[in-house]
Amino acid sequence: MHPVRVAFRLVTACAALQLGQAASACWLLLRYGRKVDELGPWSRNEALIIESVYVHLTGAAVLAAGLSALLVGVAVAIPRRTQYTRGLVGWVLLLVALALLLGVVYSPDAVLLPDNQVQLDHLQPLLPLWYTAQQGLTVTLVITGGAMAVIRLTREAAGEYYQRHDPTATWRGFTSWLDVRFQD
């Protein structure tokens, strides 16, 4: 397959992964209040932790949704035949990777710091372990997918794609790569 098409598909898959991460964080937010009421009563320290987890979970949902939208924008930009596309895609994917790593540092798990095992057992249903695993897997796959897309865009065929274009074309968007003869 042509490297530009592969890069487009990789970035689109990364956007879908981020959207899934945002959806799971929103799902946890929707059930959060009910879970807090079901599992109560809470000590003062637990109430502070619950509030911090809620704030960080909201931030994780907003970050994942925003990065998903940014990745969709990158995917839309990849087929455009300009000399600046590859540089722009590379820098934006680096920004996404840094934002993901920053999001891991400020994740809801980072503030779930109970005093003892009993308190951890009481708080754990609010932020299930599957969310932690999903977040870690999503971050790893999105960073890997972004790096693979950048590597694909550095190939010679991708360079030819971005340098050879028809200046009389009215729109150089999605359909422009269908005219390229694909060589692997």
Side-chain angles (χ1 to χ4, degrees):
M1 245 187 194
H2 196 272
V4 176
R5 184 172 290 204
V6 172
F8 173 77
R9 289 182 178 169
L10 283 168
V11 173
T12 302
C14 291
L17 285 169
Q18 278 301 117
L19 188 60
Q21 180 67 27
S24 66
C26 288
W27 184 77
L28 286 176
L29 282 171
L30 288 174
R31 66 183 265 288
Y32 197 80
R34 189 182 75 234
K35 278 289 193 188
V36 169
D37 293 340
E38 286 175 8
L39 297 170
W42 303 98
S43 68
R44 183 179 180 95
N45 186 30
E46 288 173 334
L48 291 173
I49 292 172
I50 288 169
E51 184 64 30
S52 294
V53 169
Y54 181 80
V55 167
H56 283 250
L57 191 59
T58 304
V62 170
L63 178 68
L67 288 178
S68 178
L70 184 61
L71 286 167
V72 166
V74 170
V76 168
I78 286 175
R80 293 197 45 94
R81 290 182 146 190
T82 67
Q83 60 184 357
Y84 306 109
T85 299
R86 292 191 296 173
L88 175 73
V89 168
W91 282 108
V92 171
L93 289 176
L94 178 65
L95 176 70
V96 167
L98 292 175
L100 284 171
L101 293 175
L102 189 63
V104 167
V105 172
Y106 293 105
S107 71
D109 291 326
V111 294
L112 188 61
L113 301 171
D115 294 333
N116 52 35
Q117 185 64 37
V118 175
Q119 194 177 40
L120 177 63
D121 293 340
H122 196 203
L123 290 168
Q124 193 62 51
L126 296 175
L127 192 64
L129 291 175
W130 63 261
Y131 177 76
T132 304
Q134 180 195 20
Q135 182 183 22
L137 186 63
T138 301
V139 166
T140 303
L141 290 175
V142 169
I143 290 174
T144 303
M148 288 172 55
V150 169
I151 289 169
R152 284 298 195 150
L153 289 177
T154 60
R155 290 198 171 172
E156 186 177 333
E160 290 174 9
Y161 171 81
Y162 288 113
Q163 290 177 1
R164 185 181 49 148
H165 68 289
D166 180 12
T168 62
T170 56
W171 187 67
R172 300 178 194 100
F174 298 113
T175 59
S176 62
W177 67 11
L178 297 175
D179 300 331
V180 175
R181 297 209 170 127
F182 295 105
Q183 301 171 7
D184 282 332

